[in-house]
Amino acid sequence: MFKKSKFILKSLLLLSTVVTTNVSATELESMIPTTLTGKLNYATLNYWVDTPDGHRYELLINETNEPFIMDKVGEKITLNGAVLTYSDKSQFFQPKFERAPQAKPLILTKGTNDDAASLYLDSNKIYTSEEYVDVGVEKEFPISNGKVSLVWLSTGGTACPAMFMYVVARQNSLPLMTSEFGNCSDIPTITNNKKEITVSLPGNPAQTWAFDLSDFRLYEK
């Protein structure tokens, strides 16, 4: 179910509109309106719902409808929409929302040149450093009205492959950024228990850093 082609995901733009241009692709057999209730999960850029009867449905999510659910990961939710079944027997759920989202998703991007690495939230530069030559997002976590991004920073050399920091982006608020942290390891182990995000870094000495999601505080364990 989770290996559906990008063609199918891109072709299902709206509940009532299914566009297919490749007759050799897996064909849509049915679209049945229903209400889906279960636990919302998220990993590797995919959302899915596990229902009480043991079924799992990947959700067809885009930038327009993602704001409705991104802060509900790990919770029991109820969605209106339709179950789409294909000729290979795979199934997806296309949610339908009654109104347009109140705000557009916050987009974190990077910009680099020969002198500095920079971060942009939407089109606004929020961070720049001449100490690093590259920067990127390691992982993102949805929160109420926004998201928390774990960002890596690189000098481009082998002596210190990566350092990290957090960026908190919320609608109608200035972004928050932590200080840089780490021991130069670029192979973090990341966990999130909904109360705090933990980053464990191997090395000599190893380090473990926690980020409190209630007050956005970074500290070393």
Side-chain angles (χ1 to χ4, degrees), residues 170-189:
R170 294 170 293 174
Q171 302 288 351
N172 303 319
S173 298
L174 292 174
L176 301 176
M177 287 170 286
T178 69
S179 57
E180 299 151 11
F181 67 92
N183 60 359
C184 292
S185 171
D186 61 351
I187 48 174
T189 298

Side-chain angles (χ1 to χ4, degrees), residues 19-73:
V19 180
T20 56
T21 57
N22 183 354
V23 295
S24 64
T26 304
E27 295 183 355
L28 179 65
E29 288 190 338
S30 66
M31 179 185 291
I32 303 175
T34 189
T35 299
L36 185 68
T37 297
K39 181 181 178 182
L40 178 65
N41 296 283
Y42 173 83
T44 60
L45 303 181
N46 289 317
Y47 291 89
W48 72 92
V49 170
D50 289 322
T51 63
D53 60 1
H55 286 81
R56 174 171 292 183
Y57 295 94
E58 184 176 345
L59 304 184
L60 297 177
I61 297 298
N62 55 37
E63 291 184 357
T64 300
N65 54 29
E66 185 177 20
F68 284 111
I69 65 168
M70 65 185 300
D71 62 342
K72 296 178 175 59
V73 173

Side-chain angles (χ1 to χ4, degrees), residues 9-178:
L9 294 179
K10 290 181 179 179
S11 67
L12 297 169
L13 300 179
L14 295 173
L15 174 62
S16 60
T17 304
V18 179
V19 180
T20 56
T21 57
N22 183 354
V23 295
S24 64
T26 304
E27 295 183 355
L28 179 65
E29 288 190 338
S30 66
M31 179 185 291
I32 303 175
T34 189
T35 299
L36 185 68
T37 297
K39 181 181 178 182
L40 178 65
N41 296 283
Y42 173 83
T44 60
L45 303 181
N46 289 317
Y47 291 89
W48 72 92
V49 170
D50 289 322
T51 63
D53 60 1
H55 286 81
R56 174 171 292 183
Y57 295 94
E58 184 176 345
L59 304 184
L60 297 177
I61 297 298
N62 55 37
E63 291 184 357
T64 300
N65 54 29
E66 185 177 20
F68 284 111
I69 65 168
M70 65 185 300
D71 62 342
K72 296 178 175 59
V73 173
E75 300 178 6
K76 182 179 179 180
I77 64 170
T78 298
L79 297 171
N80 293 318
V83 173
L84 284 69
T85 303
Y86 294 86
S87 56
D88 63 357
K89 305 308 177 184
S90 61
Q91 291 183 314
F92 292 82
F93 187 81
Q94 171 69 68
K96 181 180 180 181
F97 300 100
E98 300 301 326
R99 57 182 177 82
Q102 297 299 307
K104 294 181 179 180
L106 297 159
I107 301 174
L108 195 66
T109 57
K110 71 173 183 177
T112 57
N113 55 40
D114 293 337
D115 300 319
S118 302
L119 278 175
Y120 295 82
L121 181 60
D122 297 329
S123 59
N124 301 310
K125 183 185 289 187
I126 61 172
Y127 173 87
T128 188
S129 173
E130 295 183 358
E131 181 179 355
Y132 301 102
V133 298
D134 202 5
V135 60
V137 176
E138 181 75 21
K139 196 167 185 179
E140 291 189 326
F141 307 88
I143 59 173
S144 177
N145 205 29
K147 63 183 177 181
V148 173
S149 301
L150 177 62
V151 173
W152 57 264
L153 304 142
S154 174
T155 61
T158 58
C160 189
M163 295 290 284
F164 298 91
M165 70 179 194
Y166 286 98
V167 176
V168 181
R170 294 170 293 174
Q171 302 288 351
N172 303 319
S173 298
L174 292 174
L176 301 176
M177 287 170 286
T178 69

